[in-house]
Amino acid sequence: MSITEKKLVALLSCADLAPGSVQRVDVAGFPPLAVYNVDGSYFVSDDTCSHGNASLAEGFLEGDEIECPWHNGKFCVRTGAATAYPAMVAVCTYSVEIADGQVCIAAPSEEAIAKPD
Ligand code: FES
């Protein structure tokens, strides 16, 4: 199924993210996102660490855990759960679909997009 048929937002090409790597992506309608390739499976979470303002994409991906570059808190990239102190609050994760060779997440609903008054 194509990206437009399913109302998906393409974040990046699968071919541009090697296994074991993570990349920050900025797209309209979402906070900064981190896209992970764990042995050929793709995951997406918010990029900003829940403990501070660090970019998780600048951290260290080991298996399915991302280690924050600032204070070494860790998160499971599959669930967003905090797995190592001082990170204690989960980061938001997004359901991923692969379409047309792109890592995609669902487009924000019309209600979720803030409209100016
Ligand atoms: Fe990420 Fe502190 S900012 S663990």
Side-chain angles (χ1 to χ4, degrees):
M1 187 164 286
S2 74
I3 292 170
T4 51
E5 285 175 277
K6 294 198 75 177
K7 297 188 177 173
L8 299 173
V9 175
L11 302 180
L12 53 72
S13 169
C14 296
D16 291 340
L17 191 65
S21 59
V22 52
Q23 184 173 322
R24 175 178 164 151
V25 176
D26 294 291
V27 292
F30 292 92
L33 301 172
V35 183
Y36 311 89
N37 181 339
V38 178
D39 296 329
S41 295
Y42 297 89
F43 301 93
V44 176
S45 76
D46 283 345
D47 181 54
T48 304
C49 180
S50 63
H51 180 250
N53 287 320
S55 167
L56 293 177
E58 294 176 7
F60 313 98
L61 183 62
E62 295 179 21
D64 63 359
E65 268 190 330
I66 185 73
E67 181 176 342
C68 178
W70 282 12
H71 311 114
N72 309 105
K74 293 182 181 179
F75 301 88
C76 173
V77 304
R78 297 174 189 272
T79 65
T83 56
Y85 186 82
M88 299 178 74
V89 176
V91 291
C92 183
T93 56
Y94 300 82
S95 182
V96 171
E97 291 196 43
I98 305 299
D100 300 337
Q102 305 280 313
V103 180
C104 303
I105 58 175
S109 65
E110 301 234 347
E111 298 80 39
I113 299 173
K115 295 183 177 156
D117 293 330

